[in-house]
Amino acid sequence: MSREEWRSIVNGSNTPVEQSCEDSRFGTVVRALWPDKPALNLAQRMGVTERNALQLIRGERRVTARAVLVINTEILD
Protein backbone atom coordinates (compact mmCIF):
# COMPACT_ATOMS: atom_id res chain seq x y z
CA MET A 1 0.00 0.00 0.00
CA SER A 2 1.42 3.37 -1.02
CA ARG A 3 1.79 6.33 1.28
CA GLU A 4 -0.96 8.24 -0.56
CA GLU A 5 -3.40 5.32 -0.25
CA TRP A 6 -2.66 5.09 3.45
CA ARG A 7 -3.24 8.82 3.94
CA SER A 8 -6.56 8.70 2.10
CA ILE A 9 -7.70 5.87 4.37
CA VAL A 10 -6.58 7.68 7.53
CA ASN A 11 -8.11 10.99 6.41
CA GLY A 12 -11.32 9.28 5.32
CA SER A 13 -11.27 10.73 1.83
CA ASN A 14 -10.82 9.43 -1.68
CA THR A 15 -9.05 12.54 -2.93
CA PRO A 16 -5.26 12.53 -2.95
CA VAL A 17 -3.59 14.38 -0.11
CA GLU A 18 -1.35 17.27 -1.11
CA GLN A 19 2.33 16.53 -0.74
CA SER A 20 3.89 18.38 2.19
CA CYS A 21 7.31 20.00 2.33
CA GLU A 22 8.70 17.11 4.34
CA ASP A 23 7.85 14.62 1.60
CA SER A 24 10.01 16.30 -1.06
CA ARG A 25 13.38 14.54 -1.18
CA PHE A 26 14.79 17.34 -3.30
CA GLY A 27 13.62 19.86 -0.72
CA THR A 28 15.30 17.88 2.05
CA VAL A 29 18.62 17.99 0.20
CA VAL A 30 18.30 21.72 -0.51
CA ARG A 31 17.50 22.48 3.13
CA ALA A 32 20.48 20.36 4.23
CA LEU A 33 22.81 22.30 1.94
CA TRP A 34 21.43 25.75 2.77
CA PRO A 35 19.58 25.73 6.10
CA ASP A 36 19.20 29.54 6.05
CA LYS A 37 17.00 30.77 3.18
CA PRO A 38 17.17 27.63 1.01
CA ALA A 39 14.83 29.01 -1.68
CA LEU A 40 16.87 32.19 -2.06
CA ASN A 41 20.15 30.29 -2.32
CA LEU A 42 18.75 27.85 -4.87
CA ALA A 43 17.14 30.64 -6.90
CA GLN A 44 20.36 32.66 -7.11
CA ARG A 45 22.38 29.65 -8.22
CA MET A 46 19.77 28.54 -10.78
CA GLY A 47 19.01 32.00 -12.13
CA VAL A 48 15.27 31.73 -11.43
CA THR A 49 12.84 33.51 -9.14
CA GLU A 50 12.67 32.65 -5.46
CA ARG A 51 9.05 31.60 -5.96
CA ASN A 52 10.07 29.08 -8.63
CA ALA A 53 12.79 27.68 -6.36
CA LEU A 54 10.32 27.39 -3.49
CA GLN A 55 7.93 25.42 -5.71
CA LEU A 56 10.76 23.01 -6.55
CA ILE A 57 11.62 22.62 -2.86
CA ARG A 58 7.99 21.95 -1.91
CA GLY A 59 7.57 19.41 -4.69
CA GLU A 60 4.96 21.47 -6.51
CA ARG A 61 7.07 21.37 -9.69
CA ARG A 62 9.22 18.70 -11.24
CA VAL A 63 12.92 18.98 -10.52
CA THR A 64 14.77 20.28 -13.57
CA ALA A 65 18.17 19.30 -14.89
CA ARG A 66 19.41 22.77 -13.96
CA ALA A 67 18.35 22.22 -10.35
CA VAL A 68 20.12 18.87 -10.22
CA LEU A 69 23.25 20.44 -11.70
CA VAL A 70 23.24 23.16 -9.02
CA ILE A 71 22.89 20.57 -6.24
CA ASN A 72 25.63 18.35 -7.69
CA THR A 73 27.97 21.31 -8.09
CA GLU A 74 27.41 22.38 -4.50
CA ILE A 75 27.98 18.87 -3.16
CA LEU A 76 31.16 18.32 -5.18
CA ASP A 77 32.74 21.72 -4.36
Side-chain angles (χ1 to χ4, degrees):
M1 177 178 291
S2 73
R3 183 182 299 181
E4 293 301 318
E5 290 172 358
W6 177 253
R7 284 184 182 165
S8 67
I9 291 170
V10 170
N11 292 332
S13 123
N14 291 331
T15 59
V17 178
E18 186 176 328
Q19 186 177 19
S20 68
C21 293
E22 292 77 31
D23 290 342
S24 171
R25 292 179 189 165
F26 180 78
T28 302
V29 172
V30 171
R31 284 189 295 280
L33 288 172
W34 304 294
D36 297 326
K37 299 189 178 185
L40 180 63
N41 282 297
L42 181 62
Q44 289 175 342
R45 286 167 172 79
M46 286 182 62
V48 299
T49 63
E50 190 173 351
R51 180 178 182 220
N52 187 310
L54 188 58
Q55 290 172 337
L56 288 169
I57 292 169
R58 288 182 178 164
E60 297 171 359
R61 287 185 166 212
R62 291 181 142 205
V63 178
T64 63
R66 183 185 292 180
V68 172
L69 180 64
V70 165
I71 296 299
N72 285 339
T73 302
E74 185 66 24
I75 291 172
L76 295 174
D77 280 346

mmCIF file of all heavy atoms in Angstrom, residues 31-66:
data_model
loop_
_atom_site.group_PDB
_atom_site.id
_atom_site.type_symbol
_atom_site.label_atom_id
_atom_site.label_comp_id
_atom_site.label_asym_id
_atom_site.label_seq_id
_atom_site.Cartn_x
_atom_site.Cartn_y
_atom_site.Cartn_z
ATOM 1 N N ARG A 31 17.465 21.938 1.769
ATOM 2 C CA ARG A 31 17.496 22.483 3.131
ATOM 3 C C ARG A 31 18.730 22.011 3.903
ATOM 4 O O ARG A 31 19.225 22.718 4.774
ATOM 5 C CB ARG A 31 16.219 22.111 3.876
ATOM 6 C CG ARG A 31 15.028 22.951 3.446
ATOM 7 C CD ARG A 31 13.816 22.742 4.320
ATOM 8 N NE ARG A 31 13.257 21.395 4.253
ATOM 9 C CZ ARG A 31 12.460 20.962 3.273
ATOM 10 N NH1 ARG A 31 12.123 21.761 2.297
ATOM 11 N NH2 ARG A 31 11.993 19.737 3.289
ATOM 12 N N ALA A 32 19.247 20.837 3.578
ATOM 13 C CA ALA A 32 20.477 20.364 4.232
ATOM 14 C C ALA A 32 21.687 21.166 3.755
ATOM 15 O O ALA A 32 22.587 21.460 4.546
ATOM 16 C CB ALA A 32 20.677 18.881 3.936
ATOM 17 N N LEU A 33 21.693 21.523 2.473
ATOM 18 C CA LEU A 33 22.814 22.301 1.943
ATOM 19 C C LEU A 33 22.785 23.750 2.408
ATOM 20 O O LEU A 33 23.824 24.339 2.706
ATOM 21 C CB LEU A 33 22.796 22.269 0.406
ATOM 22 C CG LEU A 33 23.186 20.955 -0.241
ATOM 23 C CD1 LEU A 33 22.927 21.010 -1.738
ATOM 24 C CD2 LEU A 33 24.651 20.646 0.025
ATOM 25 N N TRP A 34 21.586 24.348 2.409
ATOM 26 C CA TRP A 34 21.429 25.754 2.768
ATOM 27 C C TRP A 34 20.318 25.884 3.802
ATOM 28 O O TRP A 34 19.179 26.191 3.470
ATOM 29 C CB TRP A 34 21.089 26.587 1.537
ATOM 30 C CG TRP A 34 22.097 26.456 0.438
ATOM 31 C CD1 TRP A 34 23.396 26.869 0.460
ATOM 32 C CD2 TRP A 34 21.895 25.859 -0.854
ATOM 33 N NE1 TRP A 34 24.007 26.570 -0.731
ATOM 34 C CE2 TRP A 34 23.108 25.947 -1.554
ATOM 35 C CE3 TRP A 34 20.804 25.266 -1.481
ATOM 36 C CZ2 TRP A 34 23.257 25.466 -2.845
ATOM 37 C CZ3 TRP A 34 20.956 24.779 -2.762
ATOM 38 C CH2 TRP A 34 22.169 24.887 -3.437
ATOM 39 N N PRO A 35 20.617 25.669 5.077
ATOM 40 C CA PRO A 35 19.575 25.734 6.101
ATOM 41 C C PRO A 35 18.954 27.128 6.257
ATOM 42 O O PRO A 35 17.792 27.248 6.618
ATOM 43 C CB PRO A 35 20.278 25.306 7.383
ATOM 44 C CG PRO A 35 21.705 25.184 7.074
ATOM 45 C CD PRO A 35 21.905 25.284 5.614
ATOM 46 N N ASP A 36 19.718 28.168 5.979
ATOM 47 C CA ASP A 36 19.199 29.538 6.050
ATOM 48 C C ASP A 36 18.817 29.998 4.650
ATOM 49 O O ASP A 36 19.672 30.074 3.765
ATOM 50 C CB ASP A 36 20.243 30.494 6.637
ATOM 51 C CG ASP A 36 20.595 30.147 8.073
ATOM 52 O OD1 ASP A 36 19.700 29.676 8.800
ATOM 53 O OD2 ASP A 36 21.763 30.336 8.451
ATOM 54 N N LYS A 37 17.537 30.287 4.453
ATOM 55 C CA LYS A 37 16.998 30.766 3.179
ATOM 56 C C LYS A 37 17.318 29.826 2.010
ATOM 57 O O LYS A 37 17.996 30.207 1.045
ATOM 58 C CB LYS A 37 17.494 32.170 2.885
ATOM 59 C CG LYS A 37 17.075 33.174 3.932
ATOM 60 C CD LYS A 37 17.394 34.574 3.514
ATOM 61 C CE LYS A 37 16.903 35.537 4.584
ATOM 62 N NZ LYS A 37 17.089 36.917 4.185
ATOM 63 N N PRO A 38 16.858 28.579 2.076
ATOM 64 C CA PRO A 38 17.167 27.632 1.008
ATOM 65 C C PRO A 38 16.619 28.049 -0.350
ATOM 66 O O PRO A 38 17.293 27.875 -1.373
ATOM 67 C CB PRO A 38 16.538 26.324 1.485
ATOM 68 C CG PRO A 38 15.528 26.723 2.495
ATOM 69 C CD PRO A 38 16.014 27.990 3.100
ATOM 70 N N ALA A 39 15.420 28.613 -0.394
ATOM 71 C CA ALA A 39 14.829 29.011 -1.676
ATOM 72 C C ALA A 39 15.640 30.133 -2.322
ATOM 73 O O ALA A 39 15.866 30.127 -3.536
ATOM 74 C CB ALA A 39 13.377 29.440 -1.481
ATOM 75 N N LEU A 40 16.080 31.089 -1.535
ATOM 76 C CA LEU A 40 16.870 32.195 -2.061
ATOM 77 C C LEU A 40 18.199 31.700 -2.619
ATOM 78 O O LEU A 40 18.618 32.086 -3.713
ATOM 79 C CB LEU A 40 17.103 33.243 -0.978
ATOM 80 C CG LEU A 40 17.926 34.459 -1.395
ATOM 81 C CD1 LEU A 40 17.218 35.231 -2.494
ATOM 82 C CD2 LEU A 40 18.184 35.345 -0.190
ATOM 83 N N ASN A 41 18.870 30.832 -1.871
ATOM 84 C CA ASN A 41 20.151 30.287 -2.325
ATOM 85 C C ASN A 41 19.995 29.484 -3.613
ATOM 86 O O ASN A 41 20.778 29.641 -4.552
ATOM 87 C CB ASN A 41 20.773 29.411 -1.232
ATOM 88 C CG ASN A 41 21.409 30.229 -0.148
ATOM 89 O OD1 ASN A 41 22.357 30.949 -0.390
ATOM 90 N ND2 ASN A 41 20.872 30.135 1.054
ATOM 91 N N LEU A 42 18.984 28.642 -3.666
ATOM 92 C CA LEU A 42 18.748 27.847 -4.866
ATOM 93 C C LEU A 42 18.405 28.744 -6.047
ATOM 94 O O LEU A 42 18.914 28.553 -7.154
ATOM 95 C CB LEU A 42 17.626 26.835 -4.613
ATOM 96 C CG LEU A 42 17.278 25.904 -5.779
ATOM 97 C CD1 LEU A 42 18.467 25.028 -6.144
ATOM 98 C CD2 LEU A 42 16.072 25.060 -5.430
ATOM 99 N N ALA A 43 17.560 29.734 -5.825
ATOM 100 C CA ALA A 43 17.141 30.642 -6.898
ATOM 101 C C ALA A 43 18.328 31.409 -7.481
ATOM 102 O O ALA A 43 18.456 31.527 -8.703
ATOM 103 C CB ALA A 43 16.097 31.612 -6.370
ATOM 104 N N GLN A 44 19.193 31.901 -6.635
ATOM 105 C CA GLN A 44 20.357 32.660 -7.106
ATOM 106 C C GLN A 44 21.287 31.778 -7.924
ATOM 107 O O GLN A 44 21.817 32.206 -8.944
ATOM 108 C CB GLN A 44 21.108 33.264 -5.932
ATOM 109 C CG GLN A 44 20.359 34.404 -5.283
ATOM 110 C CD GLN A 44 21.060 34.924 -4.040
ATOM 111 O OE1 GLN A 44 21.916 34.253 -3.454
ATOM 112 N NE2 GLN A 44 20.683 36.123 -3.623
ATOM 113 N N ARG A 45 21.477 30.549 -7.505
ATOM 114 C CA ARG A 45 22.377 29.651 -8.224
ATOM 115 C C ARG A 45 21.775 29.150 -9.535
ATOM 116 O O ARG A 45 22.485 28.886 -10.493
ATOM 117 C CB ARG A 45 22.761 28.485 -7.322
ATOM 118 C CG ARG A 45 23.744 28.885 -6.239
ATOM 119 C CD ARG A 45 23.875 27.812 -5.172
ATOM 120 N NE ARG A 45 24.933 28.079 -4.236
ATOM 121 C CZ ARG A 45 24.861 28.933 -3.222
ATOM 122 N NH1 ARG A 45 23.771 29.640 -3.034
ATOM 123 N NH2 ARG A 45 25.881 29.093 -2.404
ATOM 124 N N MET A 46 20.442 29.020 -9.571
ATOM 125 C CA MET A 46 19.769 28.540 -10.783
ATOM 126 C C MET A 46 19.452 29.662 -11.765
ATOM 127 O O MET A 46 19.212 29.396 -12.940
ATOM 128 C CB MET A 46 18.456 27.835 -10.417
ATOM 129 C CG MET A 46 18.608 26.479 -9.807
ATOM 130 S SD MET A 46 17.001 25.730 -9.465
ATOM 131 C CE MET A 46 16.291 25.612 -11.099
ATOM 132 N N GLY A 47 19.386 30.886 -11.275
ATOM 133 C CA GLY A 47 19.008 32.000 -12.128
ATOM 134 C C GLY A 47 17.508 32.058 -12.364
ATOM 135 O O GLY A 47 17.057 32.421 -13.452
ATOM 136 N N VAL A 48 16.735 31.688 -11.351
ATOM 137 C CA VAL A 48 15.273 31.733 -11.432
ATOM 138 C C VAL A 48 14.751 32.572 -10.271
ATOM 139 O O VAL A 48 15.513 33.021 -9.420
ATOM 140 C CB VAL A 48 14.650 30.313 -11.390
ATOM 141 C CG1 VAL A 48 15.122 29.473 -12.567
ATOM 142 C CG2 VAL A 48 14.976 29.606 -10.083
ATOM 143 N N THR A 49 13.431 32.749 -10.236
ATOM 144 C CA THR A 49 12.840 33.508 -9.137
ATOM 145 C C THR A 49 12.829 32.669 -7.865
ATOM 146 O O THR A 49 12.873 31.433 -7.911
ATOM 147 C CB THR A 49 11.406 33.926 -9.462
ATOM 148 O OG1 THR A 49 10.601 32.752 -9.608
ATOM 149 C CG2 THR A 49 11.349 34.763 -10.734
ATOM 150 N N GLU A 50 12.743 33.351 -6.755
ATOM 151 C CA GLU A 50 12.673 32.652 -5.462
ATOM 152 C C GLU A 50 11.388 31.827 -5.367
ATOM 153 O O GLU A 50 11.376 30.744 -4.793
ATOM 154 C CB GLU A 50 12.747 33.662 -4.322
ATOM 155 C CG GLU A 50 12.921 33.030 -2.974
ATOM 156 C CD GLU A 50 13.167 34.043 -1.879
ATOM 157 O OE1 GLU A 50 13.367 35.237 -2.176
ATOM 158 O OE2 GLU A 50 13.155 33.638 -0.703
ATOM 159 N N ARG A 51 10.322 32.330 -5.960
ATOM 160 C CA ARG A 51 9.047 31.597 -5.964
ATOM 161 C C ARG A 51 9.181 30.268 -6.713
ATOM 162 O O ARG A 51 8.686 29.239 -6.259
ATOM 163 C CB ARG A 51 7.966 32.465 -6.605
ATOM 164 C CG ARG A 51 6.632 31.792 -6.648
ATOM 165 C CD ARG A 51 5.593 32.720 -7.246
ATOM 166 N NE ARG A 51 4.303 32.064 -7.238
ATOM 167 C CZ ARG A 51 3.447 32.141 -8.226
ATOM 168 N NH1 ARG A 51 3.738 32.845 -9.308
ATOM 169 N NH2 ARG A 51 2.294 31.527 -8.149
ATOM 170 N N ASN A 52 9.861 30.301 -7.852
ATOM 171 C CA ASN A 52 10.068 29.081 -8.628
ATOM 172 C C ASN A 52 10.894 28.076 -7.824
ATOM 173 O O ASN A 52 10.588 26.883 -7.792
ATOM 174 C CB ASN A 52 10.772 29.426 -9.943
ATOM 175 C CG ASN A 52 10.875 28.265 -10.884
ATOM 176 O OD1 ASN A 52 11.317 27.190 -10.497
ATOM 177 N ND2 ASN A 52 10.504 28.486 -12.120
ATOM 178 N N ALA A 53 11.939 28.562 -7.179
ATOM 179 C CA ALA A 53 12.785 27.685 -6.363
ATOM 180 C C ALA A 53 11.996 27.083 -5.206
ATOM 181 O O ALA A 53 12.143 25.901 -4.892
ATOM 182 C CB ALA A 53 13.986 28.459 -5.843
ATOM 183 N N LEU A 54 11.133 27.881 -4.595
ATOM 184 C CA LEU A 54 10.317 27.388 -3.489
ATOM 185 C C LEU A 54 9.359 26.298 -3.960
ATOM 186 O O LEU A 54 9.137 25.310 -3.260
ATOM 187 C CB LEU A 54 9.553 28.541 -2.852
ATOM 188 C CG LEU A 54 8.798 28.238 -1.571
ATOM 189 C CD1 LEU A 54 9.733 27.701 -0.505
ATOM 190 C CD2 LEU A 54 8.090 29.478 -1.075
ATOM 191 N N GLN A 55 8.815 26.450 -5.152
ATOM 192 C CA GLN A 55 7.934 25.424 -5.710
ATOM 193 C C GLN A 55 8.693 24.124 -5.958
ATOM 194 O O GLN A 55 8.156 23.033 -5.737
ATOM 195 C CB GLN A 55 7.290 25.917 -7.003
ATOM 196 C CG GLN A 55 6.260 27.003 -6.770
ATOM 197 C CD GLN A 55 5.760 27.618 -8.056
ATOM 198 O OE1 GLN A 55 6.427 27.577 -9.088
ATOM 199 N NE2 GLN A 55 4.573 28.209 -7.996
ATOM 200 N N LEU A 56 9.935 24.216 -6.379
ATOM 201 C CA LEU A 56 10.759 23.010 -6.551
ATOM 202 C C LEU A 56 11.015 22.335 -5.205
ATOM 203 O O LEU A 56 10.917 21.117 -5.079
ATOM 204 C CB LEU A 56 12.095 23.365 -7.198
ATOM 205 C CG LEU A 56 12.076 23.751 -8.662
ATOM 206 C CD1 LEU A 56 13.421 24.317 -9.079
ATOM 207 C CD2 LEU A 56 11.735 22.543 -9.513
ATOM 208 N N ILE A 57 11.326 23.144 -4.203
ATOM 209 C CA ILE A 57 11.620 22.620 -2.864
ATOM 210 C C ILE A 57 10.394 21.935 -2.272
ATOM 211 O O ILE A 57 10.496 20.876 -1.659
ATOM 212 C CB ILE A 57 12.127 23.750 -1.949
ATOM 213 C CG1 ILE A 57 13.500 24.221 -2.427
ATOM 214 C CG2 ILE A 57 12.176 23.306 -0.496
ATOM 215 C CD1 ILE A 57 13.984 25.499 -1.782
ATOM 216 N N ARG A 58 9.227 22.517 -2.457
ATOM 217 C CA ARG A 58 7.992 21.954 -1.910
ATOM 218 C C ARG A 58 7.492 20.747 -2.689
ATOM 219 O O ARG A 58 6.595 20.045 -2.236
ATOM 220 C CB ARG A 58 6.898 23.010 -1.917
ATOM 221 C CG ARG A 58 7.096 24.083 -0.899
ATOM 222 C CD ARG A 58 5.954 25.050 -0.955
ATOM 223 N NE ARG A 58 6.084 26.078 0.042
ATOM 224 C CZ ARG A 58 5.408 27.205 0.026
ATOM 225 N NH1 ARG A 58 4.551 27.458 -0.928
ATOM 226 N NH2 ARG A 58 5.587 28.100 0.969
ATOM 227 N N GLY A 59 8.032 20.525 -3.866
ATOM 228 C CA GLY A 59 7.572 19.406 -4.686
ATOM 229 C C GLY A 59 6.378 19.755 -5.544
ATOM 230 O O GLY A 59 5.723 18.876 -6.088
ATOM 231 N N GLU A 60 6.089 21.036 -5.697
ATOM 232 C CA GLU A 60 4.960 21.472 -6.512
ATOM 233 C C GLU A 60 5.305 21.476 -7.996
ATOM 234 O O GLU A 60 4.420 21.534 -8.839
ATOM 235 C CB GLU A 60 4.519 22.879 -6.090
ATOM 236 C CG GLU A 60 4.019 22.934 -4.672
ATOM 237 C CD GLU A 60 3.789 24.344 -4.178
ATOM 238 O OE1 GLU A 60 4.036 25.313 -4.909
ATOM 239 O OE2 GLU A 60 3.360 24.462 -3.012
ATOM 240 N N ARG A 61 6.586 21.442 -8.317
ATOM 241 C CA ARG A 61 7.072 21.370 -9.695
ATOM 242 C C ARG A 61 8.073 20.245 -9.801
ATOM 243 O O ARG A 61 8.715 19.875 -8.821
ATOM 244 C CB ARG A 61 7.776 22.668 -10.098
ATOM 245 C CG ARG A 61 6.864 23.811 -10.326
ATOM 246 C CD ARG A 61 7.653 24.987 -10.823
ATOM 247 N NE ARG A 61 6.727 25.970 -11.357
ATOM 248 C CZ ARG A 61 7.003 26.776 -12.346
ATOM 249 N NH1 ARG A 61 8.191 26.736 -12.903
ATOM 250 N NH2 ARG A 61 6.114 27.627 -12.771
ATOM 251 N N ARG A 62 8.216 19.744 -11.007
ATOM 252 C CA ARG A 62 9.215 18.704 -11.237
ATOM 253 C C ARG A 62 10.615 19.305 -11.157
ATOM 254 O O ARG A 62 10.837 20.435 -11.580
ATOM 255 C CB ARG A 62 9.026 18.081 -12.609
ATOM 256 C CG ARG A 62 7.779 17.275 -12.699
ATOM 257 C CD ARG A 62 7.669 16.667 -14.053
ATOM 258 N NE ARG A 62 7.118 15.343 -13.855
ATOM 259 C CZ ARG A 62 7.293 14.337 -14.667
ATOM 260 N NH1 ARG A 62 7.991 14.495 -15.764
ATOM 261 N NH2 ARG A 62 6.766 13.177 -14.409
ATOM 262 N N VAL A 63 11.540 18.528 -10.647
ATOM 263 C CA VAL A 63 12.916 18.978 -10.523
ATOM 264 C C VAL A 63 13.545 19.003 -11.918
ATOM 265 O O VAL A 63 13.458 18.036 -12.658
ATOM 266 C CB VAL A 63 13.712 18.046 -9.583
ATOM 267 C CG1 VAL A 63 15.152 18.478 -9.491
ATOM 268 C CG2 VAL A 63 13.067 18.017 -8.205
ATOM 269 N N THR A 64 14.163 20.115 -12.249
ATOM 270 C CA THR A 64 14.770 20.281 -13.565
ATOM 271 C C THR A 64 16.224 19.832 -13.561
ATOM 272 O O THR A 64 16.841 19.671 -12.501
ATOM 273 C CB THR A 64 14.711 21.758 -13.988
ATOM 274 O OG1 THR A 64 15.488 22.528 -13.065
ATOM 275 C CG2 THR A 64 13.276 22.271 -14.011
ATOM 276 N N ALA A 65 16.766 19.665 -14.753
ATOM 277 C CA ALA A 65 18.173 19.299 -14.885
ATOM 278 C C ALA A 65 19.065 20.399 -14.320
ATOM 279 O O ALA A 65 20.107 20.130 -13.712
ATOM 280 C CB ALA A 65 18.513 19.038 -16.348
ATOM 281 N N ARG A 66 18.645 21.647 -14.494
ATOM 282 C CA ARG A 66 19.408 22.773 -13.960
ATOM 283 C C ARG A 66 19.481 22.698 -12.437
ATOM 284 O O ARG A 66 20.530 22.949 -11.834
ATOM 285 C CB ARG A 66 18.769 24.088 -14.383
ATOM 286 C CG ARG A 66 19.546 25.302 -13.912
ATOM 287 C CD ARG A 66 18.844 26.588 -14.233
ATOM 288 N NE ARG A 66 18.826 26.806 -15.669
ATOM 289 C CZ ARG A 66 18.276 27.868 -16.248
ATOM 290 N NH1 ARG A 66 17.687 28.791 -15.521
ATOM 291 N NH2 ARG A 66 18.310 28.007 -17.550
#
